[in-house]
Amino acid sequence: MAKTHSAFIGLMQRARNVKRWPLMAQFQEEMLSTHVYEASVVAHMLGAIAADIYEEDVQPDRVAAMAIFHEGSEIAGMSDIPSPVKYHDPETTSAIKKLERRFEAMLIQTVPEPLQARYRPLIEQDKEDIHVKLAKAADVLCAYLKCDYELSKSNSEFANAMQEMEVQLSRYREMLPCVDYFCKVFLEDAKGTLDEQTRDLDWVERANTMHLDN
């Protein structure tokens, strides 16, 4: 008899309870749900740039879907393991990767069987798939922006992490033209204040005119 209930959505919603950067003091704590949302938006844009500007065989919606589920193992129970722990030595890295695959499989098991074939490639991702590579690039971009934000608040805790993100982002810019385009067009404004980000919109001039007239 088929299952009449599923814990999948409930588990996915637990992303709001998973704290990122758990060993580091943060000016603004980041939860996994926030990261997943931000990474999905960036991932969709990377896919759109690849498809519409560089005419690559890329589906932006699929890149976004990969970003939505790219932390499936963390949501299923592993939480966020800090990089110094995860990459401490090859044996530790191998063991953690094995655990990640196990938790991904557990998450898939909570999906109703008729839907598992659709969700399996989104959760057990093929690292060679361009859609997965772009989702990973989005993950790095968001981590870079997080480090930049914390450093802008004089939080030196993120100085080393920023160096790591700069190296990774540089490699993605060399490998993927859409990442380089994103950095040239979007990255600087992504760091700005609301006033800076909206300075070219009509509302600024309109607001100033109304204040002067009144």
Side-chain angles (χ1 to χ4, degrees):
M1 183 176 177
K3 285 185 177 180
T4 57
H5 60 86
S6 167
F8 179 72
I9 295 300
L11 286 170
M12 290 299 299
Q13 290 183 331
R14 288 189 175 276
R16 62 185 174 224
N17 300 328
V18 179
K19 180 180 175 183
R20 288 188 34 97
W21 313 91
L23 296 183
M24 299 172 71
Q26 302 181 53
F27 179 83
Q28 182 177 36
E29 285 194 350
E30 181 178 84
M31 307 310 289
L32 184 59
S33 55
T34 300
H35 170 69
V36 167
Y37 164 74
E38 293 176 353
S40 300
V41 172
V42 173
H44 194 279
M45 180 57 73
L46 290 178
I49 294 167
D52 299 340
I53 294 180
Y54 294 100
E55 299 182 344
E56 298 178 29
D57 185 16
V58 171
Q59 302 170 43
D61 293 352
R62 188 162 182 80
V63 182
M66 292 300 181
I68 289 172
F69 295 102
H70 80 285
E71 302 288 16
S73 62
E74 292 187 14
I75 292 169
M78 281 198 70
S79 295
D80 186 25
I81 299 176
S83 293
V85 176
K86 189 173 184 177
Y87 300 105
H88 181 266
D89 56 56
E91 292 78 13
T92 300
T93 302
S94 177
I96 290 175
K97 293 291 185 182
K98 184 176 180 179
L99 275 174
E100 287 177 346
R101 291 191 293 271
R102 183 172 299 176
F103 275 96
E104 289 168 354
M106 288 170 55
L107 185 61
I108 292 168
Q109 288 174 9
T110 68
V111 178
E113 190 170 349
L115 299 173
Q116 288 184 7
R118 180 178 297 277
Y119 281 92
R120 179 169 285 105
L122 298 177
I123 297 170
E124 294 179 338
Q125 299 185 354
D126 176 6
K127 307 303 182 185
E128 298 304 313
D129 183 344
I130 184 59
H131 301 87
V132 176
K133 290 181 178 179
L134 291 178
K136 179 59 181 174
D139 179 61
V140 170
L141 276 161
C142 290
Y144 171 90
L145 287 170
K146 166 64 174 176
C147 292
D148 182 83
Y149 174 79
E150 291 290 332
L151 289 171
S152 75
K153 303 303 181 183
S154 301
N155 184 2
S156 60
E157 186 94 357
F158 280 76
N160 288 338
M162 175 56 108
Q163 292 177 2
E164 179 184 344
M165 290 304 105
E166 287 175 338
V167 170
Q168 292 189 32
L169 184 55
S170 177
R171 289 173 180 168
Y172 275 109
R173 294 184 71 168
E174 292 173 1
M175 289 190 302
L176 301 168
C178 63
V179 176
D180 188 55
Y181 180 99
F182 181 97
C183 291
K184 291 176 178 176
V185 175
F186 296 104
L187 196 58
E188 198 58 39
D189 282 350
K191 304 175 185 179
T193 65
L194 178 61
D195 286 343
E196 291 169 340
Q197 291 165 347
T198 59
R199 64 180 177 270
D200 294 329
L201 302 182
D202 292 340
W203 77 268
V204 177
E205 182 178 351
R206 190 177 302 117
N208 289 336
T209 301
M210 288 183 64
H211 283 304
L212 289 172
D213 290 346
N214 293 332

